[in-house]
Amino acid sequence: MNKISTKLASCFFIVVLIMDLFLMFYLHRNIINSRVEEEYYTLLANGANHRDVLIENFSETTIKHIVLMEKSKDRAVIITDNKGNIIGSSDISESLSGQIVSLIKNVDVETDELLTSNWKESPYIMSVHPYISNTNQSGYVLMLQSTGSLNKMVHELTEHFGMAGATSFIVLFIVYAVLSKVITRPLIRMKEATEKLSKGEFNVKLAIKSKNELGELASSIQKLANDLERLKTDRNEFLASVAHELSTPLTYLIGYSKVAMRESLSKKQREQYLEIIVEESNRMKELVKNLLDLARMDENTFTVMKESFSARYFFEAICKLVAPSYDLKNIKLNFVCTEDFQIYADPLRLEQIVINLLDNALKYSKENTEVTLKACKNEGKTRIEVIDTGIGIPQEEIDFIFEKLYRVEKSRSRAYGGSGIGLAVVKELVEAHNGTIEVKSKLGEGSTFTVII
Ligand SMILES: Nc1ncnc2c1ncn2[C@@H]1O[C@H](COP(=O)(O)OP(=O)(O)OP(=O)(O)O)[C@@H](O)[C@H]1O
Ligand SMILES: [Mg+2]
């Protein structure tokens, strides 16, 4: 009984039942009342007719005619004189005529009226019509109507209403059962689904296609389950990648430490191994720092502090910063900015974005090539392009390069020293500026990264 569907269906059931009962009771009473009124009216009208005929033409023959006219088994007429003696009547039992005569003697009526109207208890209803004829004869015309037919009609009507009531009760009950099932079934399925979700089982399938609120709720739960499932896989993959990324340099560290501890090594060899250990440790440190950066971005705990600053000055400073590493690989870095303009962004974050892109351009370009950094104002926004003529990215991999720890061909990483976090950080930073980043690349020909913020 705690189920909401049962409550709803019960409410519906009770309300409709009450309305049904009220309507039936009202109809039953009204039909009976109007039928009884009709009987009273007919009786009074007939009695008045007979009385009028008698006033016009008081004679034995008229009395006979009146009696003859009322010779039916349901109706009777009695005509009395002014002393209460019966001067004409239909076939009625002696006891009844006796009762009526004694009743008449105590009656003093001047207009037509109903003497007995209690149709429920009395075997008949009776009207009385006083007359004074043109021959100065006076008395009463009494009309009697048996209540048998009325009672029979009421009985039949009650029976019909009873049957209609029982049928509507059964129909209502079926509707109640179906309704509570129809509402309950999707609710139960959704409850089971959410219970599964709370236990960490996200492979939920809710096949509720209805377009109502229940359908919307089901599709929201399904979406939540899908999102949670995807997050779970993403998290697992990410953790596996992190574990892998950390375990590789650690294996090197342990291996080289063991080798460096050998007593047979010369000083120069030991220094070589220690250098490798320092290099690997730095790589790990960088990776952990980047991971922490990403985690902070995911939690949205970092803020973007936008300000206006000169583009030319900003980019020239960056070019100066990266120039030594570019020189080392003998790659020419061109900076193209036809006219100076103002950038409205967080300078520290934007620097991180551009340095990451320039770092990739350098890392994935061959010696003696060129990298171009272009900056301009376009439709009120800052457009930055980093163009290289390096190794390029295969078309099928382009969609994934912004994912955390994703690297094109895992073999590239050791050769180029990347961990696949740089572009994930760049994307988060660009999006924090409400900007966009796009890549165009051709394998073996080069890549162009375009940032618009
Ligand atoms: N300019 C580029 N040319 C060719 N490939 C690129 C370029 N930029 C990125 N990539 C590919 O995209 C992958 C992801 O780049 P990302 O910067 O995220 O990681 P990474 O450079 O490998 O490591 P790091 O975390 O040190 O930046 C790289 O592994 C590389 O294969
Ligand atoms: Mg990178």
Side-chain angles (χ1 to χ4, degrees):
M1 196 59 195
N2 282 333
K3 287 180 193 165
I4 185 165
S5 55
T6 319
K7 278 186 188 160
L8 270 174
S10 315
C11 274
F12 166 80
F13 179 75
I14 291 168
V15 168
V16 177
L17 196 69
I18 289 174
M19 274 171 55
D20 206 21
L21 286 177
F22 175 76
L23 211 72
M24 278 194 173
F25 178 73
Y26 178 79
L27 271 177
H28 186 264
R29 251 182 71 138
N30 270 305
I31 292 175
I32 289 173
N33 281 350
S34 61
R35 269 295 280 130
V36 170
E37 289 287 325
E38 210 179 292
E39 289 289 324
Y40 289 163
Y41 177 80
T42 325
L43 200 67
L44 281 167
N46 279 349
N49 258 346
H50 296 325
R51 188 263 326 277
D52 290 347
V53 174
L54 215 56
I55 289 173
E56 284 282 310
N57 197 356
F58 187 87
S59 68
E60 282 275 316
T61 332
T62 314
I63 292 170
K64 258 190 202 152
H65 270 129
I66 292 172
V67 169
L68 252 172
M69 276 164 78
E70 294 302 342
K71 212 172 182 170
S72 84
K73 73 173 184 339
D74 281 340
R75 221 158 43 195
V77 63
I78 297 172
I79 302 164
T80 64
D81 60 15
N82 55 355
K83 291 186 189 94
N85 300 319
I86 297 175
I87 51 173
S89 82
S90 321
D91 297 335
I92 49 171
S93 67
E94 266 186 34
S95 67
L96 183 59
S97 64
Q99 273 174 37
I100 289 165
V101 169
S102 60
L103 193 71
I104 285 300
K105 281 188 177 151
N106 302 323
V107 162
D108 182 23
V109 287
E110 282 169 12
T111 51
D112 299 0
E113 63 180 61
L114 285 166
L115 261 192
T116 318
S117 59
N118 189 354
W119 61 272
K120 278 184 199 157
E121 275 151 34
S122 168
Y124 54 85
I125 49 173
M126 182 166 77
S127 66
V128 59
H129 310 264
Y131 69 85
I132 302 174
S133 72
N134 46 4
T135 53
N136 242 356
Q137 304 276 16
S138 66
Y140 297 109
V141 174
L142 293 153
M143 291 294 294
L144 283 97
Q145 166 75 49
S146 145
T147 51
S149 62
L150 252 182
N151 278 316
K152 192 169 163 243
M153 186 273 294
V154 170
H155 183 72
E156 276 173 11
L157 201 70
T158 314
E159 253 180 25
H160 289 153
F161 269 78
M163 266 165 67
T167 316
S168 65
F169 182 84
I170 293 168
V171 170
L172 261 180
F173 191 78
I174 293 169
V175 172
Y176 158 80
V178 172
L179 209 67
S180 62
K181 261 262 165 331
V182 165
I183 306 172
T184 313
R185 209 178 306 132
L187 280 175
I188 289 177
R189 271 200 245 146
M190 282 189 258
K191 185 184 137 237
E192 285 167 356
T194 46
E195 273 171 3
K196 266 177 106 180
L197 289 184
S198 71
K199 283 182 199 149
E201 294 171 40
F202 304 133
N203 59 335
V204 164
K205 286 274 165 293
L206 276 171
I208 300 169
K209 297 269 179 288
S210 49
K211 295 246 181 312
N212 52 24
E213 292 89 338
L214 285 178
E216 279 171 18
L217 182 63
S219 71
S220 299
I221 294 176
Q222 185 66 63
K223 190 173 171 294
L224 176 71
N226 295 346
D227 287 353
L228 286 171
E229 175 82 12
R230 209 191 59 243
L231 274 177
K232 191 179 159 191
T233 354
D234 280 4
R235 192 194 58 187
N236 288 348
E237 276 173 14
F238 184 63
L239 282 178
S241 311
V242 169
H244 180 255
E245 285 308 310
L246 290 176
S247 78
T248 321
L250 273 176
T251 321
Y252 279 91
L253 283 178
I254 295 165
Y256 284 116
S257 307
K258 277 182 185 159
V259 178
M261 276 191 297
R262 280 189 204 149
E263 287 187 357
S264 57
L265 284 182
S266 68
K267 193 173 172 242
K268 200 169 169 237
Q269 279 175 316
R270 183 159 297 136
E271 268 172 10
Q272 243 179 357
Y273 287 126
L274 285 176
E275 247 172 52
I276 297 174
I277 290 172
V278 171
E279 210 176 281
E280 285 298 325
S281 306
N282 278 336
R283 239 172 69 76
M284 261 183 82
K285 193 178 147 212
E286 192 64 18
L287 174 66
V288 172
K289 185 184 148 279
N290 282 337
L291 282 173
L292 282 175
D293 263 4
L294 260 187
R296 275 184 26 235
M297 283 179 212
D298 271 358
E299 283 171 15
N300 287 331
T301 48
F302 83 114
T303 41
V304 172
M305 313 267 274
K306 287 190 183 178
E307 58 183 83
S308 238
F309 51 90
S310 151
R312 194 187 292 270
Y313 183 77
F314 173 78
F315 288 112
E316 276 172 1
I318 294 180
C319 289
K320 245 184 223 160
L321 197 75
V322 298
S325 30
Y326 270 73
D327 288 344
L328 262 181
K329 219 172 161 184
N330 209 12
I331 292 176
K332 192 167 173 249
L333 176 61
N334 306 312
F335 171 50
V336 181
C337 178
T338 42
E339 55 178 322
D340 193 17
F341 59 93
Q342 289 291 303
I343 301 178
Y344 184 64
D346 184 330
L348 282 178
R349 306 291 182 193
L350 189 60
E351 186 182 289
Q352 217 177 336
I353 294 171
V354 179
I355 288 184
N356 255 304
L357 295 178
L358 287 176
D359 178 52
N360 280 351
L362 171 68
K363 211 163 22 174
Y364 303 109
S365 289
K366 297 213 170 68
E367 285 183 8
N368 304 318
T369 52
E370 280 189 12
V371 169
T372 307
L373 170 65
K374 268 193 198 169
C376 64
K377 196 99 184 165
N378 191 4
E379 292 170 0
K381 295 196 165 181
T382 304
R383 183 186 171 95
I384 305 160
E385 279 175 277
V386 177
I387 309 157
D388 67 55
T389 48
I391 59 172
I393 307 160
Q395 206 57 37
E396 63 278 9
E397 309 255 4
I398 283 188
D399 288 343
F400 307 107
I401 57 169
F402 294 102
E403 283 178 13
K404 291 164 201 155
L405 296 172
Y406 189 87
R407 288 180 319 250
V408 177
E409 294 167 38
K410 309 302 164 237
S411 60
R412 271 192 188 183
S413 76
R414 206 123 282 286
Y416 297 98
S419 56
I421 285 197
L423 284 181
V425 173
V426 167
K427 190 165 181 251
E428 294 273 356
L429 290 175
V430 169
E431 280 171 1
H433 277 85
N434 292 327
T436 54
I437 179 159
E438 274 178 23
V439 204
K440 282 204 180 98
S441 186
K442 219 164 184 196
L443 203 58
E445 287 184 18
S447 320
T448 300
F449 283 79
T450 311
V451 174
I452 298 174
I453 53 173

